Amino acid sequence: MPELPEVETILLGLRAALRDRRIISSETRADLRWPVPDDLSIRADGKRVREVTRLGKYLLVGLVRGPTLLIHLGMSGRIRITPGAEARAGYTPLRHEHVTLTFDDSSRVGLVDPRRFGCFLLLDGGRELAHPLLRDLGTDPLESGFDAAHLVAQLRGKRGPIKITLLDQRVVAGLGNIYVSEILYRARIHPERVSASLTVEEVTRLAEIIPAVLREAIEAGGSTLRDYVDAQGRPGAFQHLHKVYAREGQPCPECPGYPACGGIRRIVQAGRSGFFCPRLQPPLSLLDA
DNA sequence: CGAGACCCCTGGCTGC
DNA sequence: TGCAGCCAGGGGTCTC
């Protein structure tokens, strides 16, 4: 479900809600992709929140003199925040609310994830980046280290299609299926182009467009296709600004070729749908072969 | 190393 | 109304 813009939007809500809060108790009702650690209460209860951060699509809640909660929302996960005043009047976990934390002001934070592709793990404080799930993550496109030279280096030697390469979290941390289609459309790059065949000019364009699209999406509160809502329960609006995603057969908004061109195309790569304009995103460059 | 198939799981939608 | 089949914003693991 959530890609970087959605996770970032959730992060901002979570950070505001958890500032200086202390965990009073924690409840686990079901396991996610991996079992929720059964020593969660032992290690987390009584600990104060130090900071809430994000790495790619992972949320990290660091606790003072304690572990760091590592949360991934998978395809269908969301965070439910209930203010203390409301929770004191009575609190009922939602269907599929697999983990609930109660804080010192009675507020609750729940992890709701119907498909259970997400995770909720504990990392040792101070050694978070050594964890296998975080160790190999690529650069976050909103960080300063993400620029054209960096992306050129990342794509060097990559023979796979650019769409699949950009989805690889070791190459760029945080991109997902929606935004990759939107980004390649805006960069006028066909999703099947061999990654290493992109010209420096094209990669430079990508390196500018990737953070630009993500920032615009964050500004709009993310994309809601079916069930995404932020930590306060609000849907995003960026889906209204999608140019190609899930628009097969519809006219590309910037292409004069419709209806002769047949409109936006859908292709499947690595089992996932992708969308592009066949005229604005030509399939081959002279460097491909 | 890379690429592809398969798996995890629930729910919404479509077509019969 | 029921049901089968397909699809979904992610990603780990295994095989070749």
Side-chain angles (χ1 to χ4, degrees), chain A residues 150-182:
Chain A
H150 174 76
L151 194 54
V152 165
Q154 287 298 302
L155 300 185
R156 189 166 295 143
K158 295 272 192 302
R159 304 301 301 167
I162 184 63
K163 190 215 171 188
I164 302 308
T165 300
L166 291 177
L167 281 175
D168 186 337
Q169 302 299 298
R170 296 170 299 181
V171 174
V172 182
L175 297 183
N177 206 37
I178 295 179
Y179 293 104
V180 163
S181 276
E182 295 299 321

Side-chain angles (χ1 to χ4, degrees), chain A residues 23-24 79 99 110 113 128 167 200 207 235 254 258 279:
Chain A
I23 298 175
I24 294 298
I79 296 290
V99 182
D113 185 3
E128 292 85 353
L167 281 175
V200 169
E254 291 155 33
Y258 191 83
R279 276 176 64 108

Side-chain angles (χ1 to χ4, degrees), chain A residues 18-34:
Chain A
L18 296 190
R19 179 159 295 130
D20 298 326
R21 290 271 71 82
R22 195 159 47 88
I23 298 175
I24 294 298
S25 63
S26 40
E27 268 187 278
T28 302
R29 299 179 194 83
D31 287 332
L32 300 165
R33 164 184 292 280
W34 298 290

Side-chain angles (χ1 to χ4, degrees), chain A residues 181-195:
Chain A
S181 276
E182 295 299 321
I183 285 162
L184 289 174
Y185 168 76
R186 209 181 286 196
R188 306 297 194 236
I189 295 169
H190 192 287
E192 289 177 316
R193 293 276 305 285
V194 170
S195 303

Side-chain angles (χ1 to χ4, degrees), chain A residues 259-278:
Chain A
C261 65
I264 291 160
R265 298 265 173 83
R266 169 180 179 269
I267 52 168
V268 176
Q269 295 168 278
R272 313 194 69 189
S273 293
F275 302 86
F276 67 99
C277 170

Side-chain angles (χ1 to χ4, degrees), chain A residues 42-53:
Chain A
I42 294 172
R43 297 179 64 188
D45 292 2
K47 298 291 195 324
R48 197 172 289 282
V49 174
R50 181 168 48 84
E51 61 173 355
V52 187
T53 56

Side-chain angles (χ1 to χ4, degrees), chain A residues 11 14 39 49 106 123 125 130 148 170 212:
Chain A
L11 167 73
L14 200 54
D39 57 354
V49 174
S106 300
L123 309 187
R170 296 170 299 181

Side-chain angles (χ1 to χ4, degrees), chain A residues 2-265:
Chain A
E3 304 183 31
L4 188 153
E6 291 75 35
V7 178
E8 177 72 15
T9 303
I10 289 167
L11 167 73
L12 299 178
L14 200 54
R15 183 179 283 158
L18 296 190
R19 179 159 295 130
D20 298 326
R21 290 271 71 82
R22 195 159 47 88
I23 298 175
I24 294 298
S25 63
S26 40
E27 268 187 278
T28 302
R29 299 179 194 83
D31 287 332
L32 300 165
R33 164 184 292 280
W34 298 290
V36 177
D38 52 18
D39 57 354
L40 170 62
S41 279
I42 294 172
R43 297 179 64 188
D45 292 2
K47 298 291 195 324
R48 197 172 289 282
V49 174
R50 181 168 48 84
E51 61 173 355
V52 187
T53 56
R54 179 185 63 73
L55 270 178
K57 301 176 196 172
Y58 289 92
L59 288 166
L60 291 86
V61 180
L63 304 178
V64 177
R65 288 184 292 277
T68 292
L69 315 179
L70 178 70
I71 300 169
H72 194 289
L73 300 170
M75 292 272 270
S76 60
R78 69 181 191 86
I79 296 290
R80 173 198 189 195
I81 295 178
T82 306
E86 190 181 324
R88 274 191 293 274
Y91 186 82
T92 310
L94 296 177
R95 182 168 161 79
H96 303 303
E97 184 170 326
H98 307 308
V99 182
T100 305
L101 304 178
T102 300
F103 291 86
D104 52 355
D105 62 347
S106 300
S107 65
R108 315 283 169 117
V109 169
L111 173 57
V112 183
D113 185 3
R115 294 179 74 177
R116 289 188 272 144
F117 286 175
C119 70
F120 189 111
L121 298 173
L122 294 176
L123 309 187
D124 292 331
R127 292 216 305 280
E128 292 85 353
L129 294 182
H131 191 276
L133 291 173
L134 305 182
R135 196 176 49 199
D136 301 322
L137 279 182
T139 301
D140 190 292
L142 301 187
E143 295 295 319
S144 57
F146 187 86
D147 58 18
H150 174 76
L151 194 54
V152 165
Q154 287 298 302
L155 300 185
R156 189 166 295 143
K158 295 272 192 302
R159 304 301 301 167
I162 184 63
K163 190 215 171 188
I164 302 308
T165 300
L166 291 177
L167 281 175
D168 186 337
Q169 302 299 298
R170 296 170 299 181
V171 174
V172 182
L175 297 183
N177 206 37
I178 295 179
Y179 293 104
V180 163
S181 276
E182 295 299 321
I183 285 162
L184 289 174
Y185 168 76
R186 209 181 286 196
R188 306 297 194 236
I189 295 169
H190 192 287
E192 289 177 316
R193 293 276 305 285
V194 170
S195 303
S197 79
L198 269 58
T199 64
V200 169
E201 187 190 6
E202 287 173 322
V203 178
T204 301
R205 220 151 68 213
L206 264 185
E208 288 168 4
I209 286 170
I210 288 169
V213 167
L214 298 176
R215 287 185 202 284
E216 284 173 39
I218 292 165
E219 194 69 23
S223 296
T224 296
L225 293 190
R226 27 188 332 137
D227 52 16
Y228 165 75
V229 289
D230 71 12
Q232 281 73 36
R234 298 172 299 217
F238 194 73
Q239 67 278 8
H240 303 304
L241 301 174
H242 292 174
K243 301 269 186 18
V244 292
Y245 188 81
R247 295 197 188 283
E248 183 180 16
Q250 295 178 36
C252 148
E254 291 155 33
C255 172
Y258 191 83
C261 65
I264 291 160
R265 298 265 173 83

